[in-house]
Amino acid sequence: MINDSSTLEMKDATYPYAARGFQTRVDLGQHFLRSPESARALLDRAGIPAHAQVLEVGAGLGTLSAAIAQAGHRIWAVEKDVRLRAQLTSRLAPYGKRARVTFADVRRLDLAGGLEAGSALVSIMPFDPELSSTLIRHVFTCPRVEYGLVVAPSASTQCLSSEDDLCVEEVDGIARAAFWPPAPTVLRVVMISRSSACRS
């Protein structure tokens, strides 16, 4: 299970926000990944080919975003909460053109126009099961997204596994304490691919 509890206190990327009393948005299912180590562990699990393009939905404070960019991938980080603009853009600025940041609802973006064939979704989805499953389904309507690795509530991944067009495989767990605020529900780390790829 991905759980870097021993390093959370020393390298907690969310601490400044918690200390200032930052109010997370319940309507967005916001819970932020606390440590870079957890982000790197998730990315290792994803097994993305070198230099592949990655879409991240709900980039938040950029903990996972930075790990993706540091690994040499081109990232399109999408975040709806404009309050995080300064933090996220600053976190990804060192990676130049390799990191694209967009503040919008991913459902309103032209994903096909911004992604290349063979792109991957790597995201910590909102911790609202219905919203999470809705966003995952939407992303996979884009034919350029071939597979993904997401952290999502157990309830949303169970819903996805009943879909005819997606294959969902649980590959790991992740501790609720790896997030701030702590996750309110059981989480799963899952690989998602198209059903045709699962059958081959």
Side-chain angles (χ1 to χ4, degrees), residues 44-86:
D44 288 345
R45 255 326 202 156
I48 304 168
H51 310 298
Q53 188 174 17
V54 175
L55 172 68
E56 182 188 11
V57 176
L61 299 176
T63 305
L64 180 57
S65 316
I68 293 169
Q70 285 170 359
H73 303 296
R74 287 166 293 120
I75 179 173
W76 186 5
V78 179
E79 172 54 54
K80 188 175 181 180
D81 190 349
V82 295
R83 297 178 302 163
L84 304 175
R85 183 183 301 275

mmCIF file of all heavy atoms in Angstrom, residues 44-86:
data_model
loop_
_atom_site.group_PDB
_atom_site.id
_atom_site.type_symbol
_atom_site.label_atom_id
_atom_site.label_comp_id
_atom_site.label_asym_id
_atom_site.label_seq_id
_atom_site.Cartn_x
_atom_site.Cartn_y
_atom_site.Cartn_z
ATOM 1 N N ASP A 44 5.361 5.673 -10.308
ATOM 2 C CA ASP A 44 6.048 4.403 -10.577
ATOM 3 C C ASP A 44 5.030 3.315 -10.895
ATOM 4 O O ASP A 44 5.273 2.473 -11.775
ATOM 5 C CB ASP A 44 6.894 3.981 -9.373
ATOM 6 C CG ASP A 44 8.129 4.842 -9.190
ATOM 7 O OD1 ASP A 44 8.491 5.579 -10.134
ATOM 8 O OD2 ASP A 44 8.729 4.793 -8.097
ATOM 9 N N ARG A 45 3.910 3.319 -10.190
ATOM 10 C CA ARG A 45 2.855 2.345 -10.415
ATOM 11 C C ARG A 45 2.250 2.483 -11.814
ATOM 12 O O ARG A 45 1.823 1.499 -12.426
ATOM 13 C CB ARG A 45 1.745 2.538 -9.395
ATOM 14 C CG ARG A 45 1.595 1.575 -8.253
ATOM 15 C CD ARG A 45 1.947 0.218 -8.554
ATOM 16 N NE ARG A 45 1.383 -0.788 -7.691
ATOM 17 C CZ ARG A 45 1.223 -2.036 -8.096
ATOM 18 N NH1 ARG A 45 1.534 -2.380 -9.326
ATOM 19 N NH2 ARG A 45 0.770 -2.950 -7.291
ATOM 20 N N ALA A 46 2.216 3.705 -12.334
ATOM 21 C CA ALA A 46 1.563 3.960 -13.621
ATOM 22 C C ALA A 46 2.321 3.356 -14.794
ATOM 23 O O ALA A 46 1.725 2.987 -15.807
ATOM 24 C CB ALA A 46 1.376 5.464 -13.829
ATOM 25 N N GLY A 47 3.650 3.289 -14.693
ATOM 26 C CA GLY A 47 4.438 2.692 -15.768
ATOM 27 C C GLY A 47 4.308 3.407 -17.101
ATOM 28 O O GLY A 47 4.197 2.773 -18.150
ATOM 29 N N ILE A 48 4.348 4.712 -17.079
ATOM 30 C CA ILE A 48 4.176 5.500 -18.303
ATOM 31 C C ILE A 48 5.469 5.504 -19.108
ATOM 32 O O ILE A 48 6.548 5.710 -18.549
ATOM 33 C CB ILE A 48 3.788 6.951 -17.958
ATOM 34 C CG1 ILE A 48 2.528 6.965 -17.092
ATOM 35 C CG2 ILE A 48 3.560 7.773 -19.214
ATOM 36 C CD1 ILE A 48 2.266 8.307 -16.480
ATOM 37 N N PRO A 49 5.408 5.291 -20.417
ATOM 38 C CA PRO A 49 6.616 5.351 -21.245
ATOM 39 C C PRO A 49 7.298 6.709 -21.148
ATOM 40 O O PRO A 49 6.641 7.736 -20.941
ATOM 41 C CB PRO A 49 6.090 5.103 -22.667
ATOM 42 C CG PRO A 49 4.795 4.390 -22.471
ATOM 43 C CD PRO A 49 4.209 4.934 -21.205
ATOM 44 N N ALA A 50 8.592 6.728 -21.280
ATOM 45 C CA ALA A 50 9.357 7.972 -21.193
ATOM 46 C C ALA A 50 8.840 9.002 -22.178
ATOM 47 O O ALA A 50 8.540 8.683 -23.329
ATOM 48 C CB ALA A 50 10.832 7.690 -21.454
ATOM 49 N N HIS A 51 8.711 10.220 -21.715
ATOM 50 C CA HIS A 51 8.331 11.383 -22.523
ATOM 51 C C HIS A 51 6.884 11.343 -23.021
ATOM 52 O O HIS A 51 6.490 12.160 -23.860
ATOM 53 C CB HIS A 51 9.281 11.575 -23.709
ATOM 54 C CG HIS A 51 10.721 11.557 -23.315
ATOM 55 N ND1 HIS A 51 11.264 12.473 -22.456
ATOM 56 C CD2 HIS A 51 11.723 10.705 -23.643
ATOM 57 C CE1 HIS A 51 12.545 12.207 -22.277
ATOM 58 N NE2 HIS A 51 12.856 11.131 -22.980
ATOM 59 N N ALA A 52 6.076 10.407 -22.532
ATOM 60 C CA ALA A 52 4.669 10.365 -22.932
ATOM 61 C C ALA A 52 3.925 11.568 -22.369
ATOM 62 O O ALA A 52 4.339 12.173 -21.375
ATOM 63 C CB ALA A 52 4.014 9.077 -22.440
ATOM 64 N N GLN A 53 2.827 11.916 -23.004
ATOM 65 C CA GLN A 53 2.017 13.031 -22.525
ATOM 66 C C GLN A 53 1.034 12.524 -21.474
ATOM 67 O O GLN A 53 0.431 11.461 -21.613
ATOM 68 C CB GLN A 53 1.254 13.682 -23.681
ATOM 69 C CG GLN A 53 0.552 14.974 -23.274
ATOM 70 C CD GLN A 53 -0.087 15.685 -24.453
ATOM 71 O OE1 GLN A 53 -0.279 15.100 -25.504
ATOM 72 N NE2 GLN A 53 -0.428 16.947 -24.275
ATOM 73 N N VAL A 54 0.879 13.314 -20.418
ATOM 74 C CA VAL A 54 0.024 12.941 -19.294
ATOM 75 C C VAL A 54 -0.999 14.035 -19.050
ATOM 76 O O VAL A 54 -0.658 15.219 -18.995
ATOM 77 C CB VAL A 54 0.853 12.724 -18.014
ATOM 78 C CG1 VAL A 54 -0.055 12.443 -16.812
ATOM 79 C CG2 VAL A 54 1.845 11.578 -18.209
ATOM 80 N N LEU A 55 -2.252 13.627 -18.873
ATOM 81 C CA LEU A 55 -3.316 14.532 -18.452
ATOM 82 C C LEU A 55 -3.554 14.303 -16.972
ATOM 83 O O LEU A 55 -3.740 13.164 -16.534
ATOM 84 C CB LEU A 55 -4.599 14.248 -19.238
ATOM 85 C CG LEU A 55 -5.854 15.001 -18.764
ATOM 86 C CD1 LEU A 55 -5.734 16.501 -19.030
ATOM 87 C CD2 LEU A 55 -7.103 14.433 -19.446
ATOM 88 N N GLU A 56 -3.541 15.384 -16.200
ATOM 89 C CA GLU A 56 -3.885 15.292 -14.782
ATOM 90 C C GLU A 56 -5.112 16.142 -14.528
ATOM 91 O O GLU A 56 -5.124 17.336 -14.809
ATOM 92 C CB GLU A 56 -2.733 15.772 -13.900
ATOM 93 C CG GLU A 56 -3.054 15.637 -12.412
ATOM 94 C CD GLU A 56 -2.017 16.280 -11.505
ATOM 95 O OE1 GLU A 56 -1.152 17.020 -12.010
ATOM 96 O OE2 GLU A 56 -2.104 16.044 -10.290
ATOM 97 N N VAL A 57 -6.141 15.524 -13.993
ATOM 98 C CA VAL A 57 -7.382 16.224 -13.669
ATOM 99 C C VAL A 57 -7.399 16.483 -12.170
ATOM 100 O O VAL A 57 -7.214 15.564 -11.374
ATOM 101 C CB VAL A 57 -8.611 15.382 -14.078
ATOM 102 C CG1 VAL A 57 -9.903 16.079 -13.653
ATOM 103 C CG2 VAL A 57 -8.601 15.138 -15.579
ATOM 104 N N GLY A 58 -7.622 17.734 -11.788
ATOM 105 C CA GLY A 58 -7.603 18.086 -10.376
ATOM 106 C C GLY A 58 -6.190 18.165 -9.851
ATOM 107 O O GLY A 58 -5.823 17.487 -8.889
ATOM 108 N N ALA A 59 -5.382 19.010 -10.461
ATOM 109 C CA ALA A 59 -3.955 19.077 -10.123
ATOM 110 C C ALA A 59 -3.685 19.642 -8.735
ATOM 111 O O ALA A 59 -2.615 19.417 -8.173
ATOM 112 C CB ALA A 59 -3.216 19.903 -11.177
ATOM 113 N N GLY A 60 -4.624 20.382 -8.187
ATOM 114 C CA GLY A 60 -4.508 20.851 -6.806
ATOM 115 C C GLY A 60 -3.287 21.697 -6.536
ATOM 116 O O GLY A 60 -3.020 22.684 -7.224
ATOM 117 N N LEU A 61 -2.502 21.300 -5.543
ATOM 118 C CA LEU A 61 -1.302 22.043 -5.151
ATOM 119 C C LEU A 61 -0.084 21.656 -5.971
ATOM 120 O O LEU A 61 0.999 22.198 -5.769
ATOM 121 C CB LEU A 61 -1.011 21.826 -3.661
ATOM 122 C CG LEU A 61 -2.106 22.282 -2.697
ATOM 123 C CD1 LEU A 61 -1.728 21.917 -1.263
ATOM 124 C CD2 LEU A 61 -2.354 23.776 -2.819
ATOM 125 N N GLY A 62 -0.229 20.693 -6.868
ATOM 126 C CA GLY A 62 0.854 20.346 -7.787
ATOM 127 C C GLY A 62 1.834 19.305 -7.288
ATOM 128 O O GLY A 62 2.889 19.114 -7.894
ATOM 129 N N THR A 63 1.505 18.586 -6.224
ATOM 130 C CA THR A 63 2.430 17.579 -5.700
ATOM 131 C C THR A 63 2.643 16.452 -6.706
ATOM 132 O O THR A 63 3.781 16.066 -7.000
ATOM 133 C CB THR A 63 1.909 17.015 -4.367
ATOM 134 O OG1 THR A 63 1.688 18.099 -3.459
ATOM 135 C CG2 THR A 63 2.912 16.044 -3.756
ATOM 136 N N LEU A 64 1.551 15.925 -7.241
ATOM 137 C CA LEU A 64 1.664 14.888 -8.269
ATOM 138 C C LEU A 64 2.133 15.484 -9.591
ATOM 139 O O LEU A 64 2.931 14.875 -10.311
ATOM 140 C CB LEU A 64 0.319 14.180 -8.446
ATOM 141 C CG LEU A 64 0.251 13.061 -9.484
ATOM 142 C CD1 LEU A 64 1.283 11.969 -9.212
ATOM 143 C CD2 LEU A 64 -1.159 12.468 -9.527
ATOM 144 N N SER A 65 1.675 16.677 -9.914
ATOM 145 C CA SER A 65 2.072 17.358 -11.151
ATOM 146 C C SER A 65 3.586 17.476 -11.261
ATOM 147 O O SER A 65 4.181 17.182 -12.303
ATOM 148 C CB SER A 65 1.462 18.770 -11.222
ATOM 149 O OG SER A 65 0.121 18.797 -10.842
ATOM 150 N N ALA A 66 4.205 17.923 -10.171
ATOM 151 C CA ALA A 66 5.653 18.113 -10.176
ATOM 152 C C ALA A 66 6.381 16.778 -10.353
ATOM 153 O O ALA A 66 7.387 16.705 -11.066
ATOM 154 C CB ALA A 66 6.097 18.789 -8.885
ATOM 155 N N ALA A 67 5.869 15.728 -9.727
ATOM 156 C CA ALA A 67 6.498 14.411 -9.878
ATOM 157 C C ALA A 67 6.434 13.936 -11.322
ATOM 158 O O ALA A 67 7.392 13.363 -11.846
ATOM 159 C CB ALA A 67 5.819 13.401 -8.952
ATOM 160 N N ILE A 68 5.312 14.187 -11.977
ATOM 161 C CA ILE A 68 5.145 13.800 -13.382
ATOM 162 C C ILE A 68 6.135 14.560 -14.260
ATOM 163 O O ILE A 68 6.818 13.988 -15.113
ATOM 164 C CB ILE A 68 3.703 14.055 -13.832
ATOM 165 C CG1 ILE A 68 2.744 13.106 -13.102
ATOM 166 C CG2 ILE A 68 3.560 13.894 -15.349
ATOM 167 C CD1 ILE A 68 1.275 13.451 -13.271
ATOM 168 N N ALA A 69 6.238 15.868 -14.045
ATOM 169 C CA ALA A 69 7.150 16.687 -14.848
ATOM 170 C C ALA A 69 8.614 16.332 -14.563
ATOM 171 O O ALA A 69 9.437 16.263 -15.477
ATOM 172 C CB ALA A 69 6.895 18.166 -14.579
ATOM 173 N N GLN A 70 8.944 16.091 -13.294
ATOM 174 C CA GLN A 70 10.314 15.728 -12.927
ATOM 175 C C GLN A 70 10.752 14.430 -13.589
ATOM 176 O O GLN A 70 11.932 14.241 -13.894
ATOM 177 C CB GLN A 70 10.430 15.584 -11.409
ATOM 178 C CG GLN A 70 10.442 16.904 -10.667
ATOM 179 C CD GLN A 70 10.317 16.720 -9.162
ATOM 180 O OE1 GLN A 70 10.205 15.605 -8.656
ATOM 181 N NE2 GLN A 70 10.313 17.830 -8.449
ATOM 182 N N ALA A 71 9.782 13.551 -13.842
ATOM 183 C CA ALA A 71 10.096 12.267 -14.470
ATOM 184 C C ALA A 71 10.310 12.402 -15.981
ATOM 185 O O ALA A 71 10.616 11.410 -16.650
ATOM 186 C CB ALA A 71 8.984 11.264 -14.191
ATOM 187 N N GLY A 72 10.145 13.603 -16.512
ATOM 188 C CA GLY A 72 10.406 13.841 -17.926
ATOM 189 C C GLY A 72 9.195 13.796 -18.829
ATOM 190 O O GLY A 72 9.321 13.934 -20.046
ATOM 191 N N HIS A 73 8.008 13.619 -18.240
ATOM 192 C CA HIS A 73 6.797 13.565 -19.049
ATOM 193 C C HIS A 73 6.287 14.969 -19.341
ATOM 194 O O HIS A 73 6.536 15.910 -18.590
ATOM 195 C CB HIS A 73 5.702 12.778 -18.319
ATOM 196 C CG HIS A 73 6.107 11.392 -17.964
ATOM 197 N ND1 HIS A 73 6.400 10.432 -18.906
ATOM 198 C CD2 HIS A 73 6.302 10.798 -16.759
ATOM 199 C CE1 HIS A 73 6.734 9.306 -18.297
ATOM 200 N NE2 HIS A 73 6.694 9.515 -16.996
ATOM 201 N N ARG A 74 5.575 15.089 -20.424
ATOM 202 C CA ARG A 74 4.864 16.332 -20.722
ATOM 203 C C ARG A 74 3.501 16.253 -20.048
ATOM 204 O O ARG A 74 2.769 15.289 -20.241
ATOM 205 C CB ARG A 74 4.711 16.501 -22.235
ATOM 206 C CG ARG A 74 6.032 16.879 -22.897
ATOM 207 C CD ARG A 74 5.993 16.735 -24.403
ATOM 208 N NE ARG A 74 5.868 15.331 -24.795
ATOM 209 C CZ ARG A 74 4.865 14.837 -25.508
ATOM 210 N NH1 ARG A 74 3.888 15.608 -25.918
ATOM 211 N NH2 ARG A 74 4.845 13.559 -25.814
ATOM 212 N N ILE A 75 3.186 17.252 -19.246
ATOM 213 C CA ILE A 75 1.968 17.208 -18.455
ATOM 214 C C ILE A 75 1.025 18.334 -18.823
ATOM 215 O O ILE A 75 1.453 19.467 -19.060
ATOM 216 C CB ILE A 75 2.284 17.264 -16.939
ATOM 217 C CG1 ILE A 75 0.977 17.240 -16.130
ATOM 218 C CG2 ILE A 75 3.139 18.472 -16.592
ATOM 219 C CD1 ILE A 75 1.175 17.121 -14.635
ATOM 220 N N TRP A 76 -0.248 17.993 -18.909
ATOM 221 C CA TRP A 76 -1.317 18.990 -19.003
ATOM 222 C C TRP A 76 -2.070 18.901 -17.689
ATOM 223 O O TRP A 76 -2.820 17.959 -17.444
ATOM 224 C CB TRP A 76 -2.225 18.693 -20.185
ATOM 225 C CG TRP A 76 -3.268 19.751 -20.429
ATOM 226 C CD1 TRP A 76 -3.408 20.948 -19.774
ATOM 227 C CD2 TRP A 76 -4.325 19.710 -21.396
ATOM 228 N NE1 TRP A 76 -4.471 21.658 -20.281
ATOM 229 C CE2 TRP A 76 -5.047 20.920 -21.276
ATOM 230 C CE3 TRP A 76 -4.710 18.770 -22.349
ATOM 231 C CZ2 TRP A 76 -6.165 21.201 -22.071
ATOM 232 C CZ3 TRP A 76 -5.815 19.052 -23.144
ATOM 233 C CH2 TRP A 76 -6.526 20.251 -23.014
ATOM 234 N N ALA A 77 -1.816 19.855 -16.809
ATOM 235 C CA ALA A 77 -2.424 19.884 -15.484
ATOM 236 C C ALA A 77 -3.685 20.741 -15.538
ATOM 237 O O ALA A 77 -3.619 21.938 -15.840
ATOM 238 C CB ALA A 77 -1.448 20.441 -14.459
ATOM 239 N N VAL A 78 -4.819 20.141 -15.232
ATOM 240 C CA VAL A 78 -6.102 20.839 -15.264
ATOM 241 C C VAL A 78 -6.630 20.969 -13.842
ATOM 242 O O VAL A 78 -6.699 19.977 -13.106
ATOM 243 C CB VAL A 78 -7.118 20.079 -16.139
ATOM 244 C CG1 VAL A 78 -8.465 20.795 -16.137
ATOM 245 C CG2 VAL A 78 -6.596 19.931 -17.564
ATOM 246 N N GLU A 79 -6.984 22.170 -13.457
ATOM 247 C CA GLU A 79 -7.496 22.433 -12.112
ATOM 248 C C GLU A 79 -8.657 23.424 -12.204
ATOM 249 O O GLU A 79 -8.549 24.435 -12.895
ATOM 250 C CB GLU A 79 -6.383 22.999 -11.222
ATOM 251 C CG GLU A 79 -6.818 23.492 -9.862
ATOM 252 C CD GLU A 79 -7.576 22.444 -9.066
ATOM 253 O OE1 GLU A 79 -7.045 21.328 -8.897
ATOM 254 O OE2 GLU A 79 -8.708 22.728 -8.623
ATOM 255 N N LYS A 80 -9.732 23.140 -11.514
ATOM 256 C CA LYS A 80 -10.915 24.005 -11.584
ATOM 257 C C LYS A 80 -10.854 25.162 -10.588
ATOM 258 O O LYS A 80 -11.400 26.233 -10.834
ATOM 259 C CB LYS A 80 -12.171 23.173 -11.333
ATOM 260 C CG LYS A 80 -13.467 23.934 -11.561
ATOM 261 C CD LYS A 80 -14.668 23.021 -11.425
ATOM 262 C CE LYS A 80 -15.960 23.780 -11.684
ATOM 263 N NZ LYS A 80 -17.155 22.901 -11.557
ATOM 264 N N ASP A 81 -10.192 24.964 -9.465
ATOM 265 C CA ASP A 81 -10.185 25.958 -8.393
ATOM 266 C C ASP A 81 -9.129 27.036 -8.659
ATOM 267 O O ASP A 81 -7.939 26.817 -8.476
ATOM 268 C CB ASP A 81 -9.902 25.259 -7.060
ATOM 269 C CG ASP A 81 -10.112 26.178 -5.864
ATOM 270 O OD1 ASP A 81 -10.276 27.396 -6.051
ATOM 271 O OD2 ASP A 81 -10.099 25.658 -4.727
ATOM 272 N N VAL A 82 -9.588 28.208 -9.066
ATOM 273 C CA VAL A 82 -8.660 29.289 -9.427
ATOM 274 C C VAL A 82 -7.908 29.839 -8.221
ATOM 275 O O VAL A 82 -6.904 30.550 -8.385
ATOM 276 C CB VAL A 82 -9.394 30.435 -10.158
ATOM 277 C CG1 VAL A 82 -9.939 29.952 -11.486
ATOM 278 C CG2 VAL A 82 -10.501 31.019 -9.289
ATOM 279 N N ARG A 83 -8.329 29.510 -7.013
ATOM 280 C CA ARG A 83 -7.584 29.955 -5.828
ATOM 281 C C ARG A 83 -6.189 29.348 -5.784
ATOM 282 O O ARG A 83 -5.299 29.857 -5.104
ATOM 283 C CB ARG A 83 -8.338 29.566 -4.549
ATOM 284 C CG ARG A 83 -9.704 30.198 -4.383
ATOM 285 C CD ARG A 83 -10.356 29.687 -3.105
ATOM 286 N NE ARG A 83 -10.470 28.227 -3.112
ATOM 287 C CZ ARG A 83 -10.691 27.487 -2.026
ATOM 288 N NH1 ARG A 83 -10.789 28.070 -0.834
ATOM 289 N NH2 ARG A 83 -10.802 26.174 -2.117
ATOM 290 N N LEU A 84 -5.997 28.259 -6.528
ATOM 291 C CA LEU A 84 -4.715 27.553 -6.512
ATOM 292 C C LEU A 84 -3.792 27.987 -7.648
ATOM 293 O O LEU A 84 -2.736 27.396 -7.854
ATOM 294 C CB LEU A 84 -4.965 26.046 -6.596
ATOM 295 C CG LEU A 84 -5.889 25.474 -5.511
ATOM 296 C CD1 LEU A 84 -6.158 24.002 -5.754
ATOM 297 C CD2 LEU A 84 -5.309 25.701 -4.132
ATOM 298 N N ARG A 85 -4.203 29.022 -8.391
ATOM 299 C CA ARG A 85 -3.447 29.439 -9.579
ATOM 300 C C ARG A 85 -1.984 29.745 -9.265
ATOM 301 O O ARG A 85 -1.077 29.246 -9.928
ATOM 302 C CB ARG A 85 -4.108 30.660 -10.219
ATOM 303 C CG ARG A 85 -3.434 31.111 -11.508
ATOM 304 C CD ARG A 85 -4.078 32.374 -12.064
ATOM 305 N NE ARG A 85 -5.478 32.180 -12.345
ATOM 306 C CZ ARG A 85 -5.962 31.669 -13.475
ATOM 307 N NH1 ARG A 85 -5.129 31.280 -14.427
ATOM 308 N NH2 ARG A 85 -7.268 31.546 -13.658
ATOM 309 N N ALA A 86 -1.731 30.585 -8.265
ATOM 310 C CA ALA A 86 -0.354 30.999 -7.976
ATOM 311 C C ALA A 86 0.511 29.802 -7.582
ATOM 312 O O ALA A 86 1.639 29.645 -8.060
ATOM 313 C CB ALA A 86 -0.342 32.054 -6.868
#
